[in-house]
């Protein structure tokens, strides 16, 4: 006999997964439209400052203790790696790289996580399946951005691809820092603080690069305004909140599936809505990269489960 609580819990889990699958997958397309008429770092900074302020106020209202100076320092450092380095690379590169291909390049995050764990003490050497996934993933990237003609020329400028790959590395470093550093126990409060710190840094970079002189509010298109609003409400508030909630509800293996579902959603949306090319070369590269990410994610989750 099923009670209401079980049914509600199942429904909530399905809704949360739908959020991180579809919403996070669609944010790449929203960024594409947002940066058409809003300078990228200003757009990213505004997004995270607004979202971070709302999460911070809500967490404090729900009873989260006031963070210490150490908490703020660590949150700003995390925001620098995650949002300035990681998301900043995405918003800048999407001026040159299609949204679907951006998502594919960003999806190599698990590769960096494995490499960092391998290099930092206690130097956890990856298993055989993970090594196969690493090799497979690098082959996929070469197919995606390398020279030559494999079912159609690629549409990625080398500088855009390089920035995205380094941005994914920055996100990986920030993930380890956020996991190991002293931060508030409240996940919502921590996320809000990291967004505030990262958002402020993005605006500083925008100011230093002259974006404020290029910003013309009167020429911001309706599509860009809607894209920014979507990123604030759905991408940051709903997406991040769902992710934090799922951390305590499902296994790492199930939660990690978003890493290879998001690129599929992003590629399909970019093709269907924005008319981005979906060549044979892109399809082959996408299949290779997504399989590699799935292999690494599942293998790492299985290893973690056995170690406990």
């Amino acid at each position: 006999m099923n009670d209401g609580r079980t049914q509600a819990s199942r429904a909530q889990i399905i809704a949360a997964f739908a959020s991180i699958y579809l919403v996070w997958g669609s944010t790449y397309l929203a960024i594409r439209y947002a940066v058409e008429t809003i300078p990228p770092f200003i757009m990213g900074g505004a997004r995270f400052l607004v979202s971070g302020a709302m999460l911070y106020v809500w967490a404090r209202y729900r009873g989260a203790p006031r963070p210490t100076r150490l908490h703020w320092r660590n949150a700003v450092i995390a925001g620098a790696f995650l949002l300035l380095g990681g998301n900043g690379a995405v918003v800048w590169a999407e001026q040159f790289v299609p949204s679907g291909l951006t998502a594919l390049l960003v999806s190599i995050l698990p590769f960096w996580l494995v490499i960092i764990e391998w290099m930092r003490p206690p130097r956890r050497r990856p298993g055989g399946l993970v090594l196969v996934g690493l090799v497979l993933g690098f082959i996929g990237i070469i197919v995606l951005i390398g020279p030559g003609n494999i079912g159609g020329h690629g549409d990625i400028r080398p500088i855009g691809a390089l920035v995205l790959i380094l941005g994914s590395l920055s996100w990986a470093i920030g993930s380890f820092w956020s996991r190991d550093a002293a931060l508030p126990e409240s996940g919502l409060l921590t996320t809000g603080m990291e967004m505030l710190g990262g958002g402020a840094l993005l605006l500083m970079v925008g100011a230093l690069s002259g974006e404020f002189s290029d910003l013309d509010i009167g020429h911001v298109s309706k599509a860009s305004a809607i894209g920014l609003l979507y990123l604030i409400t759905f991408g940051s508030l709903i997406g991040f909140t769902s992710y934090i909630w799922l951390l305590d509800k499902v296994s790492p293996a199930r939660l990690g599936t978003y890493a290879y579902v998001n690129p599929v959603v992003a590629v399909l949306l970019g093709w269907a809505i924005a008319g981005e090319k979906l060549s044979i070369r892109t399809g082959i590269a996408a299949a290779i990269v997504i399989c590699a990410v799935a292999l690494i994610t599942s293998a790492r989750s299985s290893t973690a489960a056995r170690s406990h």
Side-chain angles (χ1 to χ4, degrees):
M1 179 177 176
N2 293 328
D3 57 19
R5 178 181 301 177
T6 301
Q7 294 176 354
S9 176
R10 185 179 299 115
Q12 289 173 346
I13 289 175
I14 292 173
F17 266 108
S19 173
I20 62 173
Y21 280 176
L22 301 178
V23 172
W24 275 3
S26 65
T27 54
Y28 295 94
L29 184 61
I31 289 172
R32 170 190 167 145
Y33 285 116
V35 299
E36 283 182 347
T37 57
I38 306 175
F41 294 116
I42 291 178
M43 188 282 296
R47 169 193 177 184
F48 289 115
L49 278 180
V50 173
S51 304
M54 295 175 71
L55 285 178
Y56 181 87
V57 170
W58 177 248
R60 292 280 289 133
Y61 174 77
R62 293 293 300 270
R66 183 186 298 275
T68 65
R69 286 187 179 182
L70 178 62
H71 290 158
W72 274 111
R73 189 206 70 171
N74 290 339
V76 171
I77 293 174
F81 283 111
L82 293 170
L83 302 182
L84 175 59
N87 193 265
V90 171
V91 298
W92 183 86
E94 281 212 37
Q95 298 174 104
F96 319 106
V97 181
S99 62
L101 300 187
T102 296
L104 281 174
L105 286 169
V106 171
S107 72
I108 68 170
L109 173 66
F111 305 165
W112 288 123
L113 295 177
V114 169
I115 292 171
I116 292 173
E117 282 188 334
W118 194 355
M119 296 178 63
R120 72 199 290 257
R123 300 186 184 279
R124 296 175 182 172
R125 186 180 185 280
L129 287 179
V130 174
L131 288 174
V132 171
L134 286 174
V135 174
L136 196 61
F138 286 120
I139 292 173
I141 293 173
I142 292 172
V143 172
L144 185 64
I145 66 176
N149 183 15
I150 307 175
H153 288 289
D155 298 313
I156 299 182
R157 293 187 185 181
I159 184 63
L162 177 61
V163 167
L164 287 169
I165 291 171
L166 293 177
S168 185
L169 171 60
S170 179
W171 187 280
I173 294 171
S175 298
F176 279 105
W177 175 268
S178 186
R179 185 190 70 179
D180 299 336
L183 289 164
E185 292 185 6
S186 168
L188 282 179
L189 184 66
T190 296
T191 302
M193 293 167 62
E194 291 174 351
M195 286 184 178
L196 287 171
L201 291 172
L202 283 164
L203 285 184
M204 290 174 59
V205 172
L208 292 173
S209 60
E211 285 190 352
F212 280 96
S213 61
D214 297 330
L215 176 64
D216 186 346
I217 300 296
H219 285 82
V220 173
S221 68
K222 183 178 180 181
S224 291
I226 292 174
L228 176 57
L229 184 61
Y230 183 86
L231 290 168
I232 292 172
T233 54
F234 288 88
S236 295
L237 296 178
I238 296 176
F240 274 107
T241 303
S242 298
Y243 181 80
I244 291 169
W245 184 80
L246 282 170
L247 282 172
D248 295 325
K249 304 297 180 182
V250 301
S251 67
R254 288 183 65 190
L255 184 56
T257 55
Y258 85 90
Y260 44 94
V261 174
N262 284 170
V264 177
V265 173
V267 168
L268 292 177
L269 288 177
W271 167 74
I273 297 176
E276 296 177 357
K277 295 179 182 179
L278 190 57
S279 64
I280 295 175
R281 175 176 182 159
T282 301
I284 293 173
I288 295 173
V289 171
I290 291 169
C291 286
V293 172
L295 186 63
I296 291 173
T297 303
S298 59
R300 291 179 74 237
S301 298
S302 298
T303 301
R306 288 196 300 270
S307 66
H308 285 80

